[in-house]
PDB file of all heavy atoms in Angstrom:
ATOM      1  N   GLY K 246     -25.088 -82.277  13.338  1.00  0.00           N
ATOM      2  CA  GLY K 246     -23.686 -82.661  13.264  1.00  0.00           C
ATOM      3  C   GLY K 246     -23.159 -82.620  11.838  1.00  0.00           C
ATOM      4  O   GLY K 246     -22.038 -82.167  11.593  1.00  0.00           O
ATOM      5  N   ALA K 247     -23.969 -83.098  10.893  1.00  0.00           N
ATOM      6  CA  ALA K 247     -23.555 -83.090   9.494  1.00  0.00           C
ATOM      7  C   ALA K 247     -23.410 -81.661   8.983  1.00  0.00           C
ATOM      8  O   ALA K 247     -22.460 -81.340   8.255  1.00  0.00           O
ATOM      9  CB  ALA K 247     -24.557 -83.861   8.646  1.00  0.00           C
ATOM     10  N   LEU K 248     -24.326 -80.791   9.369  1.00  0.00           N
ATOM     11  CA  LEU K 248     -24.263 -79.400   8.924  1.00  0.00           C
ATOM     12  C   LEU K 248     -23.007 -78.710   9.429  1.00  0.00           C
ATOM     13  O   LEU K 248     -22.417 -77.881   8.727  1.00  0.00           O
ATOM     14  CB  LEU K 248     -25.507 -78.641   9.392  1.00  0.00           C
ATOM     15  CG  LEU K 248     -26.804 -78.965   8.646  1.00  0.00           C
ATOM     16  CD1 LEU K 248     -28.002 -78.351   9.362  1.00  0.00           C
ATOM     17  CD2 LEU K 248     -26.737 -78.467   7.202  1.00  0.00           C
ATOM     18  N   GLU K 249     -22.571 -79.052  10.629  1.00  0.00           N
ATOM     19  CA  GLU K 249     -21.351 -78.455  11.178  1.00  0.00           C
ATOM     20  C   GLU K 249     -20.127 -78.873  10.368  1.00  0.00           C
ATOM     21  O   GLU K 249     -19.171 -78.121  10.213  1.00  0.00           O
ATOM     22  CB  GLU K 249     -21.186 -78.861  12.644  1.00  0.00           C
ATOM     23  CG  GLU K 249     -19.878 -78.421  13.288  1.00  0.00           C
ATOM     24  CD  GLU K 249     -19.678 -76.906  13.290  1.00  0.00           C
ATOM     25  OE1 GLU K 249     -20.684 -76.165  13.267  1.00  0.00           O
ATOM     26  OE2 GLU K 249     -18.509 -76.477  13.330  1.00  0.00           O
ATOM     27  N   ASN K 250     -20.150 -80.090   9.822  1.00  0.00           N
ATOM     28  CA  ASN K 250     -19.013 -80.618   9.067  1.00  0.00           C
ATOM     29  C   ASN K 250     -19.176 -80.425   7.564  1.00  0.00           C
ATOM     30  O   ASN K 250     -18.376 -80.920   6.778  1.00  0.00           O
ATOM     31  CB  ASN K 250     -18.833 -82.114   9.375  1.00  0.00           C
ATOM     32  CG  ASN K 250     -17.512 -82.656   8.883  1.00  0.00           C
ATOM     33  OD1 ASN K 250     -16.501 -81.949   8.888  1.00  0.00           O
ATOM     34  ND2 ASN K 250     -17.509 -83.887   8.439  1.00  0.00           N
ATOM     35  N   PHE K 251     -20.207 -79.694   7.163  1.00  0.00           N
ATOM     36  CA  PHE K 251     -20.536 -79.510   5.746  1.00  0.00           C
ATOM     37  C   PHE K 251     -19.787 -78.312   5.179  1.00  0.00           C
ATOM     38  O   PHE K 251     -19.722 -77.249   5.800  1.00  0.00           O
ATOM     39  CB  PHE K 251     -22.045 -79.306   5.616  1.00  0.00           C
ATOM     40  CG  PHE K 251     -22.546 -79.123   4.216  1.00  0.00           C
ATOM     41  CD1 PHE K 251     -22.491 -80.161   3.304  1.00  0.00           C
ATOM     42  CD2 PHE K 251     -23.086 -77.907   3.810  1.00  0.00           C
ATOM     43  CE1 PHE K 251     -22.975 -80.005   2.009  1.00  0.00           C
ATOM     44  CE2 PHE K 251     -23.572 -77.736   2.527  1.00  0.00           C
ATOM     45  CZ  PHE K 251     -23.518 -78.785   1.616  1.00  0.00           C
ATOM     46  N   ALA K 252     -19.210 -78.484   4.007  1.00  0.00           N
ATOM     47  CA  ALA K 252     -18.483 -77.393   3.350  1.00  0.00           C
ATOM     48  C   ALA K 252     -19.458 -76.357   2.802  1.00  0.00           C
ATOM     49  O   ALA K 252     -20.372 -76.681   2.049  1.00  0.00           O
ATOM     50  CB  ALA K 252     -17.617 -77.953   2.225  1.00  0.00           C
ATOM     51  N   THR K 253     -19.238 -75.120   3.175  1.00  0.00           N
ATOM     52  CA  THR K 253     -20.096 -74.031   2.733  1.00  0.00           C
ATOM     53  C   THR K 253     -19.931 -73.783   1.233  1.00  0.00           C
ATOM     54  O   THR K 253     -18.842 -73.917   0.685  1.00  0.00           O
ATOM     55  CB  THR K 253     -19.749 -72.745   3.505  1.00  0.00           C
ATOM     56  OG1 THR K 253     -19.999 -72.974   4.892  1.00  0.00           O
ATOM     57  CG2 THR K 253     -20.599 -71.570   3.045  1.00  0.00           C
ATOM     58  N   HIS K 254     -21.017 -73.410   0.575  1.00  0.00           N
ATOM     59  CA  HIS K 254     -20.996 -73.083  -0.855  1.00  0.00           C
ATOM     60  C   HIS K 254     -20.374 -71.709  -1.089  1.00  0.00           C
ATOM     61  O   HIS K 254     -20.676 -70.751  -0.371  1.00  0.00           O
ATOM     62  CB  HIS K 254     -22.426 -73.038  -1.407  1.00  0.00           C
ATOM     63  CG  HIS K 254     -23.111 -74.358  -1.447  1.00  0.00           C
ATOM     64  ND1 HIS K 254     -23.797 -74.795  -2.551  1.00  0.00           N
ATOM     65  CD2 HIS K 254     -23.222 -75.358  -0.538  1.00  0.00           C
ATOM     66  CE1 HIS K 254     -24.317 -75.990  -2.317  1.00  0.00           C
ATOM     67  NE2 HIS K 254     -23.983 -76.342  -1.101  1.00  0.00           N
ATOM     68  N   TYR K 255     -19.544 -71.624  -2.125  1.00  0.00           N
ATOM     69  CA  TYR K 255     -19.042 -70.323  -2.590  1.00  0.00           C
ATOM     70  C   TYR K 255     -19.150 -70.284  -4.103  1.00  0.00           C
ATOM     71  O   TYR K 255     -19.089 -71.311  -4.770  1.00  0.00           O
ATOM     72  CB  TYR K 255     -17.590 -70.099  -2.138  1.00  0.00           C
ATOM     73  CG  TYR K 255     -17.466 -70.074  -0.637  1.00  0.00           C
ATOM     74  CD1 TYR K 255     -17.085 -71.220   0.058  1.00  0.00           C
ATOM     75  CD2 TYR K 255     -17.778 -68.930   0.095  1.00  0.00           C
ATOM     76  CE1 TYR K 255     -16.997 -71.219   1.442  1.00  0.00           C
ATOM     77  CE2 TYR K 255     -17.706 -68.921   1.476  1.00  0.00           C
ATOM     78  CZ  TYR K 255     -17.309 -70.064   2.151  1.00  0.00           C
ATOM     79  OH  TYR K 255     -17.255 -70.069   3.515  1.00  0.00           O
ATOM     80  N   TRP K 256     -19.286 -69.068  -4.650  1.00  0.00           N
ATOM     81  CA  TRP K 256     -19.508 -68.910  -6.080  1.00  0.00           C
ATOM     82  C   TRP K 256     -18.345 -68.188  -6.746  1.00  0.00           C
ATOM     83  O   TRP K 256     -17.739 -67.293  -6.168  1.00  0.00           O
ATOM     84  CB  TRP K 256     -20.795 -68.112  -6.336  1.00  0.00           C
ATOM     85  CG  TRP K 256     -22.045 -68.877  -6.050  1.00  0.00           C
ATOM     86  CD1 TRP K 256     -22.153 -70.148  -5.570  1.00  0.00           C
ATOM     87  CD2 TRP K 256     -23.372 -68.410  -6.223  1.00  0.00           C
ATOM     88  NE1 TRP K 256     -23.462 -70.513  -5.435  1.00  0.00           N
ATOM     89  CE2 TRP K 256     -24.237 -69.458  -5.829  1.00  0.00           C
ATOM     90  CE3 TRP K 256     -23.917 -67.221  -6.667  1.00  0.00           C
ATOM     91  CZ2 TRP K 256     -25.624 -69.347  -5.875  1.00  0.00           C
ATOM     92  CZ3 TRP K 256     -25.295 -67.102  -6.712  1.00  0.00           C
ATOM     93  CH2 TRP K 256     -26.136 -68.156  -6.327  1.00  0.00           C
ATOM     94  N   HIS K 257     -18.096 -68.536  -7.998  1.00  0.00           N
ATOM     95  CA  HIS K 257     -17.041 -67.893  -8.782  1.00  0.00           C
ATOM     96  C   HIS K 257     -17.263 -66.395  -8.896  1.00  0.00           C
ATOM     97  O   HIS K 257     -16.298 -65.625  -8.927  1.00  0.00           O
ATOM     98  CB  HIS K 257     -16.993 -68.485 -10.195  1.00  0.00           C
ATOM     99  CG  HIS K 257     -16.337 -69.819 -10.277  1.00  0.00           C
ATOM    100  ND1 HIS K 257     -14.977 -69.977 -10.365  1.00  0.00           N
ATOM    101  CD2 HIS K 257     -16.849 -71.079 -10.271  1.00  0.00           C
ATOM    102  CE1 HIS K 257     -14.670 -71.260 -10.436  1.00  0.00           C
ATOM    103  NE2 HIS K 257     -15.792 -71.951 -10.364  1.00  0.00           N
ATOM    104  N   ASP K 258     -18.495 -65.961  -8.982  1.00  0.00           N
ATOM    105  CA  ASP K 258     -18.774 -64.544  -9.232  1.00  0.00           C
ATOM    106  C   ASP K 258     -18.760 -63.686  -7.973  1.00  0.00           C
ATOM    107  O   ASP K 258     -19.001 -62.484  -8.030  1.00  0.00           O
ATOM    108  CB  ASP K 258     -20.140 -64.390  -9.927  1.00  0.00           C
ATOM    109  CG  ASP K 258     -20.039 -64.691 -11.409  1.00  0.00           C
ATOM    110  OD1 ASP K 258     -19.251 -65.597 -11.761  1.00  0.00           O
ATOM    111  OD2 ASP K 258     -20.735 -64.053 -12.206  1.00  0.00           O
ATOM    112  N   ASP K 259     -18.488 -64.305  -6.819  1.00  0.00           N
ATOM    113  CA  ASP K 259     -18.379 -63.516  -5.596  1.00  0.00           C
ATOM    114  C   ASP K 259     -17.082 -62.711  -5.638  1.00  0.00           C
ATOM    115  O   ASP K 259     -15.990 -63.278  -5.601  1.00  0.00           O
ATOM    116  CB  ASP K 259     -18.369 -64.421  -4.359  1.00  0.00           C
ATOM    117  CG  ASP K 259     -19.732 -65.019  -4.079  1.00  0.00           C
ATOM    118  OD1 ASP K 259     -20.715 -64.507  -4.623  1.00  0.00           O
ATOM    119  OD2 ASP K 259     -19.805 -66.009  -3.324  1.00  0.00           O
ATOM    120  N   ARG K 260     -17.197 -61.408  -5.709  1.00  0.00           N
ATOM    121  CA  ARG K 260     -16.011 -60.558  -5.767  1.00  0.00           C
ATOM    122  C   ARG K 260     -15.677 -59.936  -4.417  1.00  0.00           C
ATOM    123  O   ARG K 260     -14.649 -59.280  -4.260  1.00  0.00           O
ATOM    124  CB  ARG K 260     -16.230 -59.438  -6.800  1.00  0.00           C
ATOM    125  CG  ARG K 260     -16.541 -59.958  -8.204  1.00  0.00           C
ATOM    126  CD  ARG K 260     -15.457 -60.870  -8.724  1.00  0.00           C
ATOM    127  NE  ARG K 260     -15.746 -61.343 -10.073  1.00  0.00           N
ATOM    128  CZ  ARG K 260     -15.078 -62.327 -10.670  1.00  0.00           C
ATOM    129  NH1 ARG K 260     -14.101 -62.938 -10.021  1.00  0.00           N
ATOM    130  NH2 ARG K 260     -15.403 -62.698 -11.892  1.00  0.00           N
ATOM    131  N   ARG K 261     -16.563 -60.127  -3.478  1.00  0.00           N
ATOM    132  CA  ARG K 261     -16.323 -59.545  -2.165  1.00  0.00           C
ATOM    133  C   ARG K 261     -15.247 -60.326  -1.421  1.00  0.00           C
ATOM    134  O   ARG K 261     -15.083 -61.519  -1.607  1.00  0.00           O
ATOM    135  CB  ARG K 261     -17.613 -59.539  -1.336  1.00  0.00           C
ATOM    136  CG  ARG K 261     -18.678 -58.625  -1.890  1.00  0.00           C
ATOM    137  CD  ARG K 261     -19.971 -58.774  -1.100  1.00  0.00           C
ATOM    138  NE  ARG K 261     -20.558 -60.102  -1.286  1.00  0.00           N
ATOM    139  CZ  ARG K 261     -21.308 -60.429  -2.329  1.00  0.00           C
ATOM    140  NH1 ARG K 261     -21.535 -59.545  -3.278  1.00  0.00           N
ATOM    141  NH2 ARG K 261     -21.814 -61.637  -2.442  1.00  0.00           N
ATOM    142  N   ARG K 262     -14.507 -59.645  -0.568  1.00  0.00           N
ATOM    143  CA  ARG K 262     -13.547 -60.305   0.307  1.00  0.00           C
ATOM    144  C   ARG K 262     -13.820 -59.866   1.735  1.00  0.00           C
ATOM    145  O   ARG K 262     -13.775 -58.676   2.020  1.00  0.00           O
ATOM    146  CB  ARG K 262     -12.102 -59.948  -0.090  1.00  0.00           C
ATOM    147  CG  ARG K 262     -11.690 -60.521  -1.431  1.00  0.00           C
ATOM    148  CD  ARG K 262     -11.614 -62.062  -1.366  1.00  0.00           C
ATOM    149  NE  ARG K 262     -11.111 -62.629  -2.600  1.00  0.00           N
ATOM    150  CZ  ARG K 262     -11.877 -63.005  -3.612  1.00  0.00           C
ATOM    151  NH1 ARG K 262     -13.185 -62.849  -3.540  1.00  0.00           N
ATOM    152  NH2 ARG K 262     -11.363 -63.521  -4.695  1.00  0.00           N
ATOM    153  N   PRO K 263     -14.138 -60.746   2.660  1.00  0.00           N
ATOM    154  CA  PRO K 263     -14.211 -62.179   2.422  1.00  0.00           C
ATOM    155  C   PRO K 263     -15.484 -62.556   1.656  1.00  0.00           C
ATOM    156  O   PRO K 263     -16.471 -61.829   1.695  1.00  0.00           O
ATOM    157  CB  PRO K 263     -14.249 -62.775   3.827  1.00  0.00           C
ATOM    158  CG  PRO K 263     -14.911 -61.723   4.646  1.00  0.00           C
ATOM    159  CD  PRO K 263     -14.425 -60.411   4.070  1.00  0.00           C
ATOM    160  N   ARG K 264     -15.443 -63.675   0.986  1.00  0.00           N
ATOM    161  CA  ARG K 264     -16.610 -64.148   0.247  1.00  0.00           C
ATOM    162  C   ARG K 264     -17.768 -64.433   1.195  1.00  0.00           C
ATOM    163  O   ARG K 264     -17.581 -64.793   2.352  1.00  0.00           O
ATOM    164  CB  ARG K 264     -16.265 -65.427  -0.505  1.00  0.00           C
ATOM    165  CG  ARG K 264     -15.432 -65.193  -1.742  1.00  0.00           C
ATOM    166  CD  ARG K 264     -15.043 -66.508  -2.349  1.00  0.00           C
ATOM    167  NE  ARG K 264     -14.489 -66.313  -3.691  1.00  0.00           N
ATOM    168  CZ  ARG K 264     -13.806 -67.217  -4.337  1.00  0.00           C
ATOM    169  NH1 ARG K 264     -13.585 -68.389  -3.784  1.00  0.00           N
ATOM    170  NH2 ARG K 264     -13.336 -66.978  -5.534  1.00  0.00           N
ATOM    171  N   SER K 265     -18.967 -64.316   0.643  1.00  0.00           N
ATOM    172  CA  SER K 265     -20.160 -64.604   1.424  1.00  0.00           C
ATOM    173  C   SER K 265     -20.362 -66.110   1.526  1.00  0.00           C
ATOM    174  O   SER K 265     -20.122 -66.851   0.573  1.00  0.00           O
ATOM    175  CB  SER K 265     -21.391 -63.985   0.757  1.00  0.00           C
ATOM    176  OG  SER K 265     -21.260 -62.598   0.636  1.00  0.00           O
ATOM    177  N   ASP K 266     -20.807 -66.576   2.694  1.00  0.00           N
ATOM    178  CA  ASP K 266     -21.234 -67.965   2.840  1.00  0.00           C
ATOM    179  C   ASP K 266     -22.578 -68.100   2.144  1.00  0.00           C
ATOM    180  O   ASP K 266     -23.577 -67.516   2.583  1.00  0.00           O
ATOM    181  CB  ASP K 266     -21.385 -68.341   4.319  1.00  0.00           C
ATOM    182  CG  ASP K 266     -20.050 -68.438   5.039  1.00  0.00           C
ATOM    183  OD1 ASP K 266     -19.006 -68.241   4.385  1.00  0.00           O
ATOM    184  OD2 ASP K 266     -20.053 -68.717   6.248  1.00  0.00           O
ATOM    185  N   ARG K 267     -22.625 -68.835   1.042  1.00  0.00           N
ATOM    186  CA  ARG K 267     -23.857 -68.986   0.285  1.00  0.00           C
ATOM    187  C   ARG K 267     -24.750 -70.058   0.903  1.00  0.00           C
ATOM    188  O   ARG K 267     -24.263 -71.050   1.452  1.00  0.00           O
ATOM    189  CB  ARG K 267     -23.537 -69.380  -1.153  1.00  0.00           C
ATOM    190  CG  ARG K 267     -22.891 -68.257  -1.960  1.00  0.00           C
ATOM    191  CD  ARG K 267     -23.904 -67.205  -2.338  1.00  0.00           C
ATOM    192  NE  ARG K 267     -23.322 -66.175  -3.195  1.00  0.00           N
ATOM    193  CZ  ARG K 267     -24.012 -65.181  -3.710  1.00  0.00           C
ATOM    194  NH1 ARG K 267     -25.305 -65.075  -3.465  1.00  0.00           N
ATOM    195  NH2 ARG K 267     -23.434 -64.283  -4.481  1.00  0.00           N
ATOM    196  N   PRO K 268     -26.076 -69.887   0.823  1.00  0.00           N
ATOM    197  CA  PRO K 268     -26.978 -70.913   1.353  1.00  0.00           C
ATOM    198  C   PRO K 268     -26.860 -72.198   0.539  1.00  0.00           C
ATOM    199  O   PRO K 268     -26.646 -72.160  -0.675  1.00  0.00           O
ATOM    200  CB  PRO K 268     -28.362 -70.285   1.206  1.00  0.00           C
ATOM    201  CG  PRO K 268     -28.207 -69.287   0.098  1.00  0.00           C
ATOM    202  CD  PRO K 268     -26.813 -68.752   0.226  1.00  0.00           C
ATOM    203  N   ARG K 269     -26.998 -73.336   1.204  1.00  0.00           N
ATOM    204  CA  ARG K 269     -26.861 -74.620   0.517  1.00  0.00           C
ATOM    205  C   ARG K 269     -28.129 -74.933  -0.280  1.00  0.00           C
ATOM    206  O   ARG K 269     -29.220 -74.439   0.022  1.00  0.00           O
ATOM    207  CB  ARG K 269     -26.588 -75.745   1.524  1.00  0.00           C
ATOM    208  CG  ARG K 269     -27.736 -76.037   2.478  1.00  0.00           C
ATOM    209  CD  ARG K 269     -27.326 -77.084   3.512  1.00  0.00           C
ATOM    210  NE  ARG K 269     -28.406 -77.363   4.441  1.00  0.00           N
ATOM    211  CZ  ARG K 269     -29.340 -78.281   4.248  1.00  0.00           C
ATOM    212  NH1 ARG K 269     -29.316 -79.018   3.148  1.00  0.00           N
ATOM    213  NH2 ARG K 269     -30.285 -78.490   5.132  1.00  0.00           N
ATOM    214  N   THR K 270     -27.973 -75.763  -1.281  1.00  0.00           N
ATOM    215  CA  THR K 270     -29.104 -76.205  -2.087  1.00  0.00           C
ATOM    216  C   THR K 270     -29.868 -77.303  -1.356  1.00  0.00           C
ATOM    217  O   THR K 270     -29.261 -78.208  -0.791  1.00  0.00           O
ATOM    218  CB  THR K 270     -28.618 -76.757  -3.440  1.00  0.00           C
ATOM    219  OG1 THR K 270     -27.945 -75.713  -4.148  1.00  0.00           O
ATOM    220  CG2 THR K 270     -29.770 -77.268  -4.281  1.00  0.00           C
ATOM    221  N   GLU K 271     -31.183 -77.213  -1.355  1.00  0.00           N
ATOM    222  CA  GLU K 271     -32.027 -78.264  -0.797  1.00  0.00           C
ATOM    223  C   GLU K 271     -32.862 -78.849  -1.931  1.00  0.00           C
ATOM    224  O   GLU K 271     -33.474 -78.117  -2.699  1.00  0.00           O
ATOM    225  CB  GLU K 271     -32.915 -77.693   0.315  1.00  0.00           C
ATOM    226  CG  GLU K 271     -32.098 -77.158   1.493  1.00  0.00           C
ATOM    227  CD  GLU K 271     -32.976 -76.748   2.665  1.00  0.00           C
ATOM    228  OE1 GLU K 271     -33.793 -77.581   3.110  1.00  0.00           O
ATOM    229  OE2 GLU K 271     -32.843 -75.602   3.124  1.00  0.00           O
ATOM    230  N   PHE K 272     -32.881 -80.197  -2.019  1.00  0.00           N
ATOM    231  CA  PHE K 272     -33.448 -80.854  -3.191  1.00  0.00           C
ATOM    232  C   PHE K 272     -34.918 -81.228  -3.066  1.00  0.00           C
ATOM    233  O   PHE K 272     -35.586 -81.421  -4.065  1.00  0.00           O
ATOM    234  CB  PHE K 272     -32.638 -82.110  -3.519  1.00  0.00           C
ATOM    235  CG  PHE K 272     -31.351 -81.808  -4.231  1.00  0.00           C
ATOM    236  CD1 PHE K 272     -30.241 -81.368  -3.526  1.00  0.00           C
ATOM    237  CD2 PHE K 272     -31.253 -81.929  -5.600  1.00  0.00           C
ATOM    238  CE1 PHE K 272     -29.060 -81.069  -4.178  1.00  0.00           C
ATOM    239  CE2 PHE K 272     -30.077 -81.634  -6.267  1.00  0.00           C
ATOM    240  CZ  PHE K 272     -28.972 -81.205  -5.552  1.00  0.00           C
ATOM    241  N   GLY K 273     -35.432 -81.365  -1.888  1.00  0.00           N
ATOM    242  CA  GLY K 273     -36.812 -81.794  -1.757  1.00  0.00           C
ATOM    243  C   GLY K 273     -36.966 -83.285  -1.971  1.00  0.00           C
ATOM    244  O   GLY K 273     -36.059 -84.073  -1.680  1.00  0.00           O
ATOM    245  N   GLU K 274     -38.101 -83.711  -2.550  1.00  0.00           N
ATOM    246  CA  GLU K 274     -38.413 -85.134  -2.678  1.00  0.00           C
ATOM    247  C   GLU K 274     -37.694 -85.810  -3.851  1.00  0.00           C
ATOM    248  O   GLU K 274     -37.547 -87.032  -3.874  1.00  0.00           O
ATOM    249  CB  GLU K 274     -39.927 -85.308  -2.853  1.00  0.00           C
ATOM    250  CG  GLU K 274     -40.739 -84.880  -1.652  1.00  0.00           C
ATOM    251  CD  GLU K 274     -42.236 -84.957  -1.899  1.00  0.00           C
ATOM    252  OE1 GLU K 274     -42.710 -84.399  -2.920  1.00  0.00           O
ATOM    253  OE2 GLU K 274     -42.936 -85.586  -1.070  1.00  0.00           O
ATOM    254  N   ILE K 275     -37.239 -85.048  -4.811  1.00  0.00           N
ATOM    255  CA  ILE K 275     -36.590 -85.605  -6.005  1.00  0.00           C
ATOM    256  C   ILE K 275     -35.117 -85.225  -5.986  1.00  0.00           C
ATOM    257  O   ILE K 275     -34.762 -84.056  -6.124  1.00  0.00           O
ATOM    258  CB  ILE K 275     -37.257 -85.082  -7.297  1.00  0.00           C
ATOM    259  CG1 ILE K 275     -38.757 -85.369  -7.289  1.00  0.00           C
ATOM    260  CG2 ILE K 275     -36.588 -85.681  -8.526  1.00  0.00           C
ATOM    261  CD1 ILE K 275     -39.101 -86.858  -7.201  1.00  0.00           C
ATOM    262  N   PHE K 276     -34.238 -86.234  -5.798  1.00  0.00           N
ATOM    263  CA  PHE K 276     -32.820 -85.914  -5.638  1.00  0.00           C
ATOM    264  C   PHE K 276     -31.877 -86.990  -6.173  1.00  0.00           C
ATOM    265  O   PHE K 276     -30.658 -86.892  -5.992  1.00  0.00           O
ATOM    266  CB  PHE K 276     -32.498 -85.698  -4.151  1.00  0.00           C
ATOM    267  CG  PHE K 276     -32.825 -86.881  -3.279  1.00  0.00           C
ATOM    268  CD1 PHE K 276     -31.935 -87.936  -3.148  1.00  0.00           C
ATOM    269  CD2 PHE K 276     -34.036 -86.952  -2.600  1.00  0.00           C
ATOM    270  CE1 PHE K 276     -32.243 -89.034  -2.352  1.00  0.00           C
ATOM    271  CE2 PHE K 276     -34.347 -88.048  -1.806  1.00  0.00           C
ATOM    272  CZ  PHE K 276     -33.443 -89.091  -1.680  1.00  0.00           C
ATOM    273  N   GLY K 277     -32.396 -88.000  -6.864  1.00  0.00           N
ATOM    274  CA  GLY K 277     -31.536 -89.077  -7.344  1.00  0.00           C
ATOM    275  C   GLY K 277     -30.487 -88.630  -8.342  1.00  0.00           C
ATOM    276  O   GLY K 277     -29.502 -89.330  -8.583  1.00  0.00           O
ATOM    277  N   HIS K 278     -30.672 -87.435  -8.901  1.00  0.00           N
ATOM    278  CA  HIS K 278     -29.742 -86.902  -9.896  1.00  0.00           C
ATOM    279  C   HIS K 278     -28.603 -86.106  -9.296  1.00  0.00           C
ATOM    280  O   HIS K 278     -27.597 -85.873  -9.960  1.00  0.00           O
ATOM    281  CB  HIS K 278     -30.498 -85.988 -10.858  1.00  0.00           C
ATOM    282  CG  HIS K 278     -31.151 -84.825 -10.175  1.00  0.00           C
ATOM    283  ND1 HIS K 278     -32.180 -84.976  -9.253  1.00  0.00           N
ATOM    284  CD2 HIS K 278     -30.929 -83.481 -10.260  1.00  0.00           C
ATOM    285  CE1 HIS K 278     -32.554 -83.792  -8.816  1.00  0.00           C
ATOM    286  NE2 HIS K 278     -31.810 -82.880  -9.409  1.00  0.00           N
ATOM    287  N   GLY K 279     -28.733 -85.666  -8.006  1.00  0.00           N
ATOM    288  CA  GLY K 279     -27.677 -84.795  -7.506  1.00  0.00           C
ATOM    289  C   GLY K 279     -27.685 -84.462  -6.036  1.00  0.00           C
ATOM    290  O   GLY K 279     -26.927 -83.599  -5.602  1.00  0.00           O
ATOM    291  N   GLY K 280     -28.517 -85.097  -5.215  1.00  0.00           N
ATOM    292  CA  GLY K 280     -28.701 -84.640  -3.850  1.00  0.00           C
ATOM    293  C   GLY K 280     -27.876 -85.286  -2.766  1.00  0.00           C
ATOM    294  O   GLY K 280     -28.011 -84.946  -1.593  1.00  0.00           O
ATOM    295  N   VAL K 281     -26.981 -86.217  -3.095  1.00  0.00           N
ATOM    296  CA  VAL K 281     -26.227 -86.941  -2.076  1.00  0.00           C
ATOM    297  C   VAL K 281     -25.106 -86.066  -1.499  1.00  0.00           C
ATOM    298  O   VAL K 281     -24.446 -85.317  -2.223  1.00  0.00           O
ATOM    299  CB  VAL K 281     -25.635 -88.244  -2.640  1.00  0.00           C
ATOM    300  CG1 VAL K 281     -24.708 -88.930  -1.640  1.00  0.00           C
ATOM    301  CG2 VAL K 281     -26.759 -89.192  -3.045  1.00  0.00           C
ATOM    302  N   VAL K 282     -24.906 -86.166  -0.193  1.00  0.00           N
ATOM    303  CA  VAL K 282     -23.843 -85.471   0.524  1.00  0.00           C
ATOM    304  C   VAL K 282     -22.870 -86.525   1.043  1.00  0.00           C
ATOM    305  O   VAL K 282     -23.278 -87.497   1.686  1.00  0.00           O
ATOM    306  CB  VAL K 282     -24.420 -84.657   1.707  1.00  0.00           C
ATOM    307  CG1 VAL K 282     -23.311 -84.068   2.563  1.00  0.00           C
ATOM    308  CG2 VAL K 282     -25.339 -83.551   1.179  1.00  0.00           C
TER     309      VAL K 282
END
């Protein structure tokens, strides 16, 4: 359910139209610095 409501990643350097849906970052066991959704 969360994945369905999750905003897809896009990059500034994507020049294609439409832009590619980029894979999301997965943090693993260490995520206190940046892993919260």
Side-chain angles (χ1 to χ4, degrees):
L248 286 170
E249 174 60 26
N250 193 34
F251 181 67
T253 298
H254 292 227
Y255 298 97
W256 287 2
H257 283 277
D258 281 36
D259 288 343
R260 302 303 181 192
R261 294 174 293 278
R262 292 293 185 269
R264 284 175 168 164
S265 301
D266 289 358
R267 290 285 184 177
R269 66 185 179 89
T270 299
E271 297 187 53
F272 282 80
E274 295 175 308
I275 305 300
F276 58 84
H278 60 295
V281 173
V282 173

